[in-house]
Amino acid sequence: MIKISKNIFGIKKRLNDLNNLLSSNVCCFTGYRPQKCPWGFNEKDERFIKVKEETRKAIKNAISIGYNTFLCGMAIGFDMMCAEIVLELKKNDKNIRLIGALPCRNQDEKWNNEYKQRYKSIIKQLDCIRCIYDKYEDGCMKERNKFMINNSSLCIALFDGKPGGTKQTIDYAKSLNKEIIYINF
């Protein structure tokens, strides 16, 4: 009996080590919805364009040092922008993977048609989808964020210090000693 429990502990440790190794080339994203950004929904605003270019550079740099898998929460705003950048870069590098980490299957239920279509276009191009809950439940966004941090070693974040889900995600990443690249606006 003792041999079995020690053996099981050893297997769990090896699985943890393997998970850490597998997540070593995984990058996730966290950031604001348009409502919290100074440009709002205007993606032609020079501040949005600047943030998009800084984010593109951060993603390209991550790829250049070995990151090839990207986890995206697929929310309106920073998430969708990051997914679109990764998909654009993937056209020239077939080793890049984009995984959608959905908080729930009906995440886009209350979005306008423009964002629903954009979302569906991205979803069709994902390499994989991980859905946390079948339908919206309290805490599903937080669980999605924890899943992304737990399964990555790098987080690219659009963050200016405001309280909320992005800050909670960053604080969680810090508690696990994950590397964070900040994009400022």
Side-chain angles (χ1 to χ4, degrees):
M1 188 81 161
I2 293 173
K3 281 186 177 182
I4 292 172
S5 64
K6 283 184 179 181
N7 190 21
I8 289 172
F9 177 77
I11 291 170
K12 284 183 180 179
K13 183 179 179 339
R14 285 194 299 266
L15 287 173
N16 268 348
D17 292 344
L18 179 60
N19 188 49
N20 289 337
L21 178 64
L22 292 174
S23 70
S24 68
N25 68 344
V26 179
C27 173
C28 69
F29 306 108
T30 189
Y32 297 124
R33 309 298 185 275
Q35 303 89 318
K36 281 195 168 184
C37 297
W39 55 83
F41 288 88
N42 182 5
E43 293 185 5
K44 293 182 179 173
D45 185 289
E46 64 186 45
R47 295 167 292 187
F48 174 85
I49 293 167
K50 180 182 174 234
V51 163
K52 187 173 183 176
E53 190 51 41
E54 284 185 43
T55 304
R56 183 185 323 281
K57 286 178 187 174
I59 293 170
K60 286 174 104 174
N61 186 54
I63 292 167
S64 75
I65 60 172
Y67 288 89
N68 65 354
T69 302
F70 296 87
L71 283 175
C72 185
M74 299 298 298
I76 291 173
F78 188 67
D79 287 2
M80 283 183 124
M81 180 191 74
C82 291
E84 290 168 340
I85 291 169
V86 170
L87 289 171
E88 177 187 312
L89 295 171
K90 185 177 173 168
K91 289 176 184 174
N92 296 319
D93 186 343
K94 299 303 179 196
N95 293 318
I96 295 173
R97 294 178 25 144
L98 180 60
I99 299 171
L102 310 183
C104 54
R105 293 193 191 286
N106 61 339
Q107 175 174 229
D108 66 333
E109 185 175 77
K110 296 181 180 179
W111 298 354
N112 70 31
N113 283 336
E114 176 188 344
Y115 282 101
K116 281 184 180 188
Q117 293 307 312
R118 197 169 165 184
Y119 178 78
K120 287 176 184 172
S121 173
I122 296 169
I123 291 286
K124 288 177 186 175
Q125 299 174 71
L126 294 174
D127 293 289
C128 182
I129 295 175
R130 172 65 158 93
C131 193
I132 307 301
Y133 290 93
D134 279 332
K135 60 184 175 155
Y136 180 85
E137 293 184 30
D138 282 343
C140 68
M141 305 290 183
K142 190 174 188 174
E143 288 300 315
R144 181 264 325 268
N145 295 342
K146 287 174 79 174
F147 168 80
M148 291 193 307
I149 296 300
N150 288 340
N151 290 284
S152 62
S153 60
L154 174 66
C155 179
I156 296 176
L158 177 64
F159 184 63
D160 69 349
K162 291 178 187 165
T166 300
K167 183 177 183 339
Q168 291 172 4
T169 303
I170 288 170
D171 289 346
Y172 183 65
K174 286 179 180 178
S175 76
L176 298 176
N177 297 314
K178 304 289 182 163
E179 185 176 350
I180 303 168
I181 296 173
Y182 295 94
I183 308 292
N184 298 305
F185 52 81

